[in-house]
Amino acid sequence: MSIENTEPHTDDEQQVPEAPRRKSRKPLIAISIATAAVVCVGGLGTAGIALLTRSATTETSMQSSQTTTPFGTHGRGSFGQQRFGQGGGPSQFGQSNTGQSYGSGASTAAAATASTASQKVGVVTINTVLDYTAQDQAAGTGMIISSDGLILTNNHVVEGSTSISVTVESTGKTYKATVVGTDQKADVAVLKLTGASGLSTVSFAPTATVTAGEAIYSVGNAEGTGNLVTAVGTVGATDQKLTIQGDGVTKAESLSGLIELNSDVVSGDSGGPLFDKAGDVIGIVTAASSGSSSVTGYAINIASVLKTADQIKAGTATTDIVIGTPAFLGVALSTTSTVPLVSATFPGMPAAKAGIAAGSTITSFNGTKVTTASQLSALIASHSVGDRVTVTWSGTTGSSHTATVTLAAGPAA
């Protein structure tokens, strides 16, 4: 989904894209930051470029509406993101310009064309289910980085997903995928295909020097159709920095060292490869903005992406890197209450199995008194999938209950 950018940027002021390339295969709009906290993990960060698309009848009819989903109540706006364990309002996007190499800026880009057989090699299309009922789905792109099925993509392509399927476009075979790890701040995720072997990979050029005016092309799952297309263009600038700030979020998130593209990148291209003229990957397509006659895309330099991916593959968890999927209690909490008031539970998840229901208030988690949703989120985040913990809650009549539950695997961080 592209972002309106009606005025071209100058060396002193750069218009910042509001959203990355993630696409639903239904009629689309993007929703704003979730207004109901879904407690699956704490400290998820605030990377404001993660975009979620959902089905809608028309964009205008949904822009200011509210809808109740299995995750709780979400506000819908023209662009934004979904967060688990965090509330907020519509995303607000800041601006920054730290570019060091500039070309002529955005220009009219040639229309993307169907990818050739050779361009499809090492590229995959990704489809995700975004809740536990398969009501909401999204699509993106990824790259094969090992013959046994490791996939590199953007974090926002899989963020919030409860099920992931990946199609190797050179063979047409589809696999189920699991999350090896994610880094929301760096917008990087590594997946693993189940039962894959003998796959052809992309070729990386992490030490390549990228310059303004250089010829490039990208391959992606444009508009989430499942058919790869190739967008040819040039590098408009290097070393770009985008800063994103969401309402209700105290910390802005930034991506730096970005490659600015003059090419026809659109929704669904997120996570796909940016190639140099030699056919080596120099970046991962992440965001785009557009005006009436121009398209400006952005890609993260592949050197920094691979550094993060290597940490994920090594199983090195940090304050930003989550290995696997987070532990999940399975409750949605009201954002209008000052205490952890449950607004919904997920069928089959630990909370529901224990008897926690809408209207309950969680008062203690594993022996620690709980007074806020953020505290509960942080406590859950300190545990792993499969941990057994005690939960105490008061029911709608005020009676107190305690149960021991086994934390489940939650949506991808």
Side-chain angles (χ1 to χ4, degrees):
M1 186 174 295
S2 59
I3 296 81
E4 292 303 316
N5 181 9
T6 56
E7 297 182 3
H9 74 266
T10 67
D11 286 13
D12 296 320
E13 181 179 5
Q14 179 176 326
Q15 298 296 320
V16 179
E18 294 185 355
R21 320 270 47 86
R22 186 180 183 185
K23 187 76 172 180
S24 167
R25 291 185 294 175
K26 303 175 182 179
L28 304 173
I29 61 167
I31 68 168
S32 65
I33 302 174
T35 57
V38 180
V39 179
C40 61
V41 65
L44 289 182
T46 58
I49 61 169
L51 173 70
L52 172 68
T53 55
R54 286 184 179 269
S55 58
T57 52
T58 65
E59 181 166 331
T60 53
S61 67
M62 302 296 289
Q63 295 234 341
S64 61
S65 67
Q66 296 281 333
T67 183
T68 299
T69 76
F71 286 111
T73 302
H74 301 282
R76 285 179 168 173
S78 58
F79 296 97
Q81 66 193 52
Q82 174 169 344
R83 282 288 172 267
F84 295 101
Q86 176 179 307
S91 289
Q92 301 296 320
F93 297 84
Q95 303 182 25
S96 178
N97 180 2
T98 59
Q100 298 176 358
S101 172
Y102 288 89
S104 58
S107 62
T108 302
T113 58
S115 298
T116 65
S118 61
Q119 290 169 341
K120 292 179 181 180
V121 174
V123 185
V124 301
T125 54
I126 299 173
N127 289 283
T128 63
V129 173
L130 303 175
D131 55 35
Y132 290 94
T133 62
Q135 291 180 345
D136 297 296
Q137 301 179 32
T141 312
M143 295 171 267
I144 302 172
I145 59 175
S146 74
S147 61
D148 61 349
L150 284 178
I151 304 299
L152 179 64
T153 189
N154 284 133
N155 175 70
H156 71 257
V157 170
V158 297
E159 184 178 15
S161 61
T162 56
S163 176
I164 306 171
S165 62
V166 175
T167 299
V168 177
E169 290 298 324
S170 60
T171 67
K173 187 171 182 179
T174 299
Y175 301 82
K176 288 190 175 298
T178 56
V179 177
V180 177
T182 58
D183 186 330
Q184 188 183 70
K185 186 175 182 179
D187 204 6
V188 173
V190 177
L191 313 178
K192 180 66 169 68
L193 305 187
T194 301
S197 63
L199 302 181
S200 298
T201 64
V202 293
S203 175
F204 294 107
T207 62
T209 300
V210 182
T211 59
E214 177 180 344
I216 50 85
Y217 66 95
S218 61
V219 176
N221 182 17
E223 303 298 339
T225 63
N227 299 312
L228 293 179
V229 299
T230 298
V232 177
T234 59
V235 173
T238 61
D239 292 329
Q240 300 298 284
K241 182 178 181 180
L242 308 182
T243 301
I244 305 97
Q245 176 72 57
D247 280 349
V249 175
T250 58
K251 178 184 176 184
E253 293 287 1
S254 298
L255 290 175
S256 59
L258 298 178
I259 303 168
E260 181 183 302
L261 314 173
N262 299 329
S263 63
D264 187 19
V265 293
V266 297
S267 298
D269 288 342
S270 274
L274 174 69
F275 294 99
D276 62 15
K277 62 183 180 181
D280 295 322
V281 177
I282 56 174
I284 182 170
V285 177
T286 300
S289 62
S290 67
S292 59
S293 62
S294 65
V295 177
T296 302
Y298 293 87
I300 306 173
N301 191 292
I302 201 62
S304 64
V305 172
L306 291 178
K307 182 178 179 181
T308 301
D310 286 343
Q311 289 181 283
I312 292 173
K313 290 189 293 181
T316 305
T318 68
T319 54
D320 298 316
I321 292 175
V322 176
I323 301 302
T325 52
F328 190 44
L329 180 59
V331 297
L333 301 180
S334 169
T335 57
T336 61
S337 174
T338 58
V339 297
L341 175 64
V342 176
S343 60
T345 60
F346 296 86
M349 292 293 109
K353 289 180 179 179
I356 300 174
S360 300
T361 300
I362 297 175
T363 57
S364 176
F365 184 84
N366 215 32
T368 300
K369 183 179 179 180
V370 176
T371 58
T372 65
S374 60
Q375 181 190 11
L376 178 57
S377 180
L379 288 170
I380 297 172
S382 68
H383 288 270
S384 301
V385 176
D387 284 357
R388 289 180 61 80
V389 298
T390 57
V391 181
T392 301
W393 70 97
S394 59
T396 55
T397 62
S399 58
S400 182
H401 308 269
T402 298
T404 299
V405 304
T406 299
L407 294 176

